[in-house]
């Protein structure tokens, strides 16, 4: 059940691409953290700093027309799925140019064009949606796969079992990916979770279950690539569990009185970015100039997204009454629509 999946031979282009995606997520979220602390962003913010290997490794094997459902901690998932950085940042600012026209905010980022069916403030709500997306793909005769991200806390709610059961019974093309960061808000994994593993529950549904080192991007990539291939070929769902560590509080501003400071220090030692850089270095393929260029490009892109968001207009008050029903969305898609 524990996956021996880290490939021995390094695929340098893949490792480099994953590194770039992870660094981009890290730098974007650091900026979001600072903007939030400065009072520039409204609402609640949940960051995934330290967990970037899961987002990057899981989304890389997906096609653009594959779909993803996400959680309240979904900025990294959105960026890894190919979402718009400008759209994300403007959405966090609540601006009309945001990917949800400023009406979603951090916990409700959605972008159908990018195959990102939505972050979700309702814990576990993405799992039944993933079954719907997968069933829709089958009924439309496509080979699209849906990947559902969720946390270990979410796995203890009823919809997790309903969704995994249905997907298994109907052999739906879903990859269930639990991002187990050891905590559900302030509740420790062990305190609320029977059986010691989320992946172990797969046996009860007769599907493949794998527990992975979620700080190893290449391991996550290999496991998800295999699960996606299986789902695409009609082999049904898989239940993967990527064990990782969240470096920040549950939400920005969380005083984290429930955990030892040493845990975050351990997390920093297991830094998925550092590990991947080390892997490239050991293979003698690390290029300082390349790394610097990647960093600079990312920082410039973030500056651009922040400037774009700050210069963008707020939504018109009347916009509160649009996008409420699917009809609105269809009207807009029609040529000459509003
Ligand atoms: C149905 C529901 N119940 C409770 C909450 C409150 N809540 C928000 S996040 C969270 C814990 C989530 O833990 P986990 O699923 O492990 O994800 P993580 O925050 O660790 O990424 C809870 C209980 C909620 N949003 N929705």
């Amino acid at each position: 059940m524990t996956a021996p999946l880290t490939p021995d031979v390094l695929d340098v282009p893949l490792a480099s691409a994953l590194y770039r995606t992870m660094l981009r997520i890290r730098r974007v979220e650091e900026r979001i953290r600072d903007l939030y602390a400065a009072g520039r962003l409204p609402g609640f913010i949940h960051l995934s700093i330290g967990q970037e290997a899961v987002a990057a490794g899981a989304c890389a094997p997906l096609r653009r027309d594959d779909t993803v459902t996400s959680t309240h901690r979904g900025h990294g998932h959105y960026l890894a799925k190919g979402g718009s950085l400008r759209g994300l940042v403007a959405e966090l600012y609540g601006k009309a140019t945001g990917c949800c026209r400023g009406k979603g905010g951090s916990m409700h980022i959605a972008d159908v064009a990018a195959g990102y069916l939505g972050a979700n403030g309702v814990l576990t709500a993405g799992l039944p949606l993933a079954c719907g997306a997968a069933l829709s793909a089958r009924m439309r005769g496509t080979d699209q796969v849906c990947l559902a991200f969720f946390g270990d806390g979410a796995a203890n709610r009823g919809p997790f079992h309903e969704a995994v059961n249905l997907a298994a019974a109907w052999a739906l093309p879903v990859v269930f990916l639990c991002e187990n960061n050891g905590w559900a808000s302030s509740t420790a994994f062990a305190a609320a979770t029977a059986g010691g593993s989320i992946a172990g529950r797969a046996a009860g549904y007769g599907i493949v279950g794998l527990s992975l080192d979620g700080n190893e991007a290449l391991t996550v990539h290999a496991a998800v690539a295999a699960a996606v291939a299986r789902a695409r070929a009609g082999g049904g769902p898989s239940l993967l569990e990527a064990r990782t560590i969240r470096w920040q509080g549950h939400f920005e501003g969380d005083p984290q009185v429930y955990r030892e400071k040493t845990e975050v220090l351990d997390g920093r030692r297991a830094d998925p970015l550092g590990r991947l850089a080390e892997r490239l270095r050991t293979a003698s393929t690390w290029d300082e100039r390349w790394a610097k260029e990647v960093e600079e490009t990312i920082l410039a892109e973030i500056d651009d997204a922040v400037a774009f968001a700050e210069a963008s207009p707020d939504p018109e008050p009347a916009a509160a009454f649009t996008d409420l029903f699917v009809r609105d969305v269809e009207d807009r898609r029609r040529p000459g629509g509003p």
Side-chain angles (χ1 to χ4, degrees):
M1 218 189 54
T2 302
L5 276 163
T6 305
D8 292 334
V9 180
L10 187 67
D11 177 339
V12 173
L14 173 64
S16 306
L18 293 176
Y19 179 85
R20 181 194 293 269
T21 304
M22 286 160 62
L23 185 69
R24 189 161 175 261
I25 296 170
R26 171 85 48 98
R27 294 291 177 258
V28 168
E29 288 216 308
E30 285 168 347
R31 184 71 67 89
I32 291 170
R33 179 191 62 196
D34 295 347
L35 289 167
Y36 189 76
R40 307 262 283 278
L41 306 178
F44 263 106
I45 302 279
H46 303 79
L47 298 178
S48 64
I49 295 176
Q51 305 181 196
E52 299 88 350
V54 185
C59 288
L62 298 176
R63 297 193 313 231
R64 180 135 179 112
D65 70 334
D66 288 327
T67 50
V68 160
T69 66
S70 180
T71 71
H72 53 285
R73 201 179 299 287
H75 307 151
H77 306 153
Y78 178 56
L79 292 174
K81 184 62 179 66
S84 150
L85 179 54
R86 278 184 164 196
L88 169 68
V89 176
E91 189 58 38
L92 297 181
Y93 269 84
K95 297 300 184 97
T97 52
C99 56
C100 298
R101 297 158 191 269
K103 295 193 275 185
S106 171
M107 276 192 275
H108 304 103
I109 300 287
D111 183 347
V112 176
Y116 194 75
L117 302 184
N120 213 308
V122 178
L123 218 56
T124 331
L127 278 68
L129 291 177
C131 290
L135 181 60
S136 152
R138 174 177 296 164
M139 291 173 75
R140 287 179 289 109
T142 78
D143 65 349
Q144 290 160 289
V145 169
C146 185
L147 183 140
F149 286 104
F150 58 100
D152 48 291
N156 291 335
R157 291 199 64 240
F160 162 85
H161 298 282
E162 295 176 13
V164 179
N165 176 62
L166 192 73
W170 292 359
L172 295 175
V174 184
V175 179
F176 295 103
L177 177 52
C178 178
E179 200 164 15
N180 185 349
N181 61 18
W183 293 96
S185 305
S186 54
T187 303
F189 175 68
T193 311
S197 146
I198 303 300
R201 296 175 182 179
Y205 298 106
I207 61 172
V208 174
L210 279 179
S211 207
L212 316 164
D213 183 342
N215 296 322
E216 290 284 357
L218 292 163
T219 302
V220 176
H221 181 275
V224 174
V228 167
R230 191 161 45 241
R232 235 191 263 301
S238 309
L239 176 57
L240 310 179
E241 174 184 13
R243 301 226 179 192
T244 182
I245 301 175
R246 100 166 126 69
W247 294 14
Q248 298 291 116
H250 170 64
F251 56 87
E252 285 309 284
D254 173 5
Q256 302 189 66
V257 289
Y258 51 83
R259 71 169 169 177
E260 302 291 339
K261 288 197 170 46
T262 49
E263 186 186 317
V264 178
L265 296 177
D266 288 346
R268 287 180 189 271
R269 269 192 288 276
D271 181 6
L273 262 170
R275 279 194 187 184
L276 201 53
E278 197 47 43
R279 207 82 220 267
L280 285 160
R281 246 182 227 115
T282 311
S284 306
T285 52
W286 181 257
D287 178 344
E288 284 301 341
R289 249 197 5 229
W290 171 81
K292 190 162 174 275
E293 206 178 289
V294 169
E295 174 103 34
E296 282 169 1
T297 308
I298 288 169
L299 293 179
E301 205 194 346
I302 296 170
D303 287 344
D304 164 78
V306 172
F308 170 77
E310 294 200 341
S312 292
D314 291 328
E316 291 294 331
F321 301 102
T322 60
D323 301 320
L324 299 177
F325 303 104
V326 74
R327 176 88 195 281
D328 293 347
V329 178
E330 284 170 355
D331 282 350
R332 252 203 323 277
R333 283 204 192 117
R334 226 166 273 141

